[in-house]
Each structure stands twice: as C-alpha cells, then as structure tokens.
Amino acid sequence: RMLRILLLGAISGFPWVLIGSSLSLWLKEDGLSRSTIGWAGLIFAVYAFNYLWAPIIDRIRIPWLTEKVGHRRGWIITMQTLILICLVCWSFANPTTNLTLVISIGLIIAIASATQDITVDALRIEQIGEHEGKSMQGLIDLAKKQFFPEGSRILYAHLGGAPALNGYSYYYKDG
C-alpha cells in the first residue's frame, strides 16, 4: 500500500515538472524571448487555485469509471488520459508559429494536473492509516531538515514534495 502511495506521488508530480522544465526549455530553444517564456510560466498559477474546484471534484462522478474503479481513481484515470492526449497534441505544435496553441495545451495540462493533484491527495488521505500518517509526516520532516543526502531530496522533490522543500528552503535559508 505504501508503494502505491509513493507511485501516486510520482505520477502527481510528473506534469508539474514537465510544464516547468520542458516548456521553458522548449520555448527557449525555439528562440522566444524571456518575457514570453515568463508569461508562459503563469500556467503555474493554476496550482495555487486548485482548492477552488476541489469541492466540485468531490461531488461529480465520472459515470462509468466511478462504478468500476471508484470515485478518486476514476478522476485520476480521466486526468491521466487527458494529460496523455494533450502531450500527444503538444508534440505536433510549433511554438514559433502557434504559441497560443502551445500555451493553451499547457494550460489544459496544468488544470488536469492540478485536478489530479486534488484527487491523489484525497486518495492518499483515505488510504493512509492513523499510525502511518505520523510516520509519513516524520519522513517529510526528515526531508525538510536535510537528514537525507542530496540525491534523496531531489528524488523526494520529483515525487511531489517540491513545493514543501522549496518553501522551506526559501523561508529558512534564503528568506
């Protein structure tokens, strides 16, 4: 069960890294200006507001999938499918000739990823027992306090803990 929770964290963090790293690099390699790349980075704002549609996600059922795999898993599968379709469409888009399309697809990926984040977190909360939650919080505290070697912190960041580590780094080291 803990391995499934770890894998859920991995799939949850993947689109965030994809949008943040790949899109910026892609736009830079195609010769777009820094200001354009900066405006494209506003896609990340979606993640700050995903709590606004969380109650809607809790109420809406995906007709066939909810019956087969459950409410949370149905949403995760739907969002993964949407992200996959968008990635395929993205691969055919050219940012120099149609930047609007590239940014629009990136925004759809960000919304789907933020929605997936909501459902993954809810599923994790439902699956973690009372005592497991305390041990997982201990693992997060260890990562924050740098008891792990650098490679482990990087792995943790890619598995969905990047915002917590970045916030900690800014507040305690840089801020």
Side-chain angles (χ1 to χ4, degrees), residues 134-155:
K134 292 176 184 176
S135 65
M136 289 187 77
Q137 184 59 44
L139 184 67
I140 292 168
D141 289 343
L142 284 173
K144 286 181 189 176
K145 294 181 176 139
Q146 300 180 0
F147 284 108
F148 291 132
E150 187 65 31
S152 297
R153 285 200 318 270
I154 292 169
L155 176 65

Side-chain angles (χ1 to χ4, degrees), residues 19 43 46 79 82-83 86 101-115:
I19 293 170
I43 292 172
V46 169
M79 293 303 105
L82 181 59
I83 290 168
C86 286
L101 178 65
V102 170
I103 299 301
S104 299
I105 293 172
L107 184 61
I108 294 168
I109 292 171
I111 291 169
S113 175
T115 303

